[in-house]
Amino acid sequence: MALWQQAGLWGLLGGSALVIGAALACLVELPRRVTAGIMAFGCGVLISAVAYDLLLEGYQQASIRPIVAGALAGSVAFALANRAVSRGGKACHRKRSGEQQTDADDGGGFAIAIGSLLDGIPESVVLGVSLVGGGGVSVAMLAAIFLSNLPEGLSSAAGMRKAGRGRTYVLGLWTGIALMSGIASALGAGLLADASPAVLATVSAVAAGALLTMIADTMIPEAVEVEGGMTGVLVVLGLLVAFVLSQGGRGG
């Protein structure tokens, strides 16, 4: 199997958590604190994966300059794009399952989907890039993507259901986003297969900056709002679990 095909399948696996979460939202109504707890744990896993699998490995491949420049560029790019997508208030609550999503009937559902795709593109590209050079996919990064996508699909889909969207619409929307995640991962591997270590390090740093900004701007505030005092503990627990996974080697 070609490298880009492998990358596409790994990206699809990570994105499938969105579909699983949406399906759960259609079948059962989980307490918001459960969803927030999963999100907080996913934040910790994602932070660890970003620090060790993206920034540290990128630094070891190249130097400090592409890491700093790439991370800052990714952070600013995500913040500006997220602001543009969230303008009007429809996508800024895309991870929430409360009353904030009741505007889905007038286009909010589509805005939520675009915002979620914005979150998922850096993650998927990173999965594809991790396969370049024969290193195999990062177990910690894959776990981080899955655990961050699951509560996003669950809570956003629950909000859409409350806003009156049917199951076919909800599941079809998240399935489309999962497919786009697979495509982004395949493109990341295909287009960067012959890239230099400096370029790969820069791409990883851009994704790291975008992901950390996404965590700070959307995931942690929304987890704290619902979960409250245990959010920090769950974040630390997730970080430690991901650190253990990253030290346990890489799978492919």
Side-chain angles (χ1 to χ4, degrees), residues 2-240:
L3 184 68
W4 66 270
Q5 292 175 317
Q6 296 179 44
L9 290 176
W10 284 117
L12 185 61
L13 177 60
S16 69
L18 291 168
V19 183
I20 294 173
L24 285 174
C26 291
L27 295 173
V28 296
E29 185 172 350
L30 293 178
R32 292 185 66 203
R33 290 197 66 178
V34 173
T35 304
I38 297 173
M39 185 177 295
F41 184 83
C43 285
V45 176
L46 204 51
I47 290 170
S48 177
V50 165
Y52 292 103
D53 285 39
L54 299 184
L55 296 180
L56 181 59
E57 288 192 10
Y59 171 73
Q60 292 171 343
Q61 287 178 344
S63 63
I64 194 66
R65 288 186 179 181
I67 299 302
V68 173
L72 288 175
S75 177
V76 172
F78 179 89
L80 293 176
N82 190 52
R83 182 178 180 182
V85 170
S86 301
R87 190 166 294 169
K90 293 177 180 177
C92 59
H93 302 301
R94 57 185 174 272
K95 292 183 174 63
R96 301 185 182 184
S97 57
E99 304 303 322
Q100 299 95 326
Q101 292 189 34
T102 54
D103 58 358
D105 286 331
D106 62 353
F110 183 73
I112 289 167
I114 294 297
S116 298
L117 186 60
L118 176 66
D119 294 346
I121 286 176
E123 301 171 342
S124 301
V125 171
V126 164
L127 275 183
V129 170
S130 70
L131 291 171
V132 175
V137 73
S138 166
V139 174
M141 194 69 210
L142 180 62
I145 292 172
F146 197 92
L147 287 172
S148 63
N149 282 342
L150 182 64
E152 180 169 356
L154 198 159
S155 56
S156 295
M160 290 181 191
R161 290 285 290 158
K162 288 181 180 179
R165 293 295 188 183
R167 292 182 180 180
T168 301
Y169 174 89
V170 172
L171 292 176
L173 192 64
W174 292 114
T175 299
I177 295 174
L179 290 173
M180 291 296 292
S181 297
I183 292 172
S185 184
L187 288 174
L191 296 177
L192 297 170
D194 299 320
S196 66
V199 171
L200 293 177
T202 302
V203 171
S204 295
V206 170
L211 291 174
L212 286 174
T213 304
M214 182 266 289
I215 292 169
D217 286 357
T218 63
M219 292 183 72
I220 289 181
E222 290 162 5
V224 169
E225 180 180 332
V226 179
E227 179 59 39
M230 290 300 294
T231 298
V233 175
L234 291 170
V235 170
V236 172
L237 181 61
L239 187 148
L240 292 174

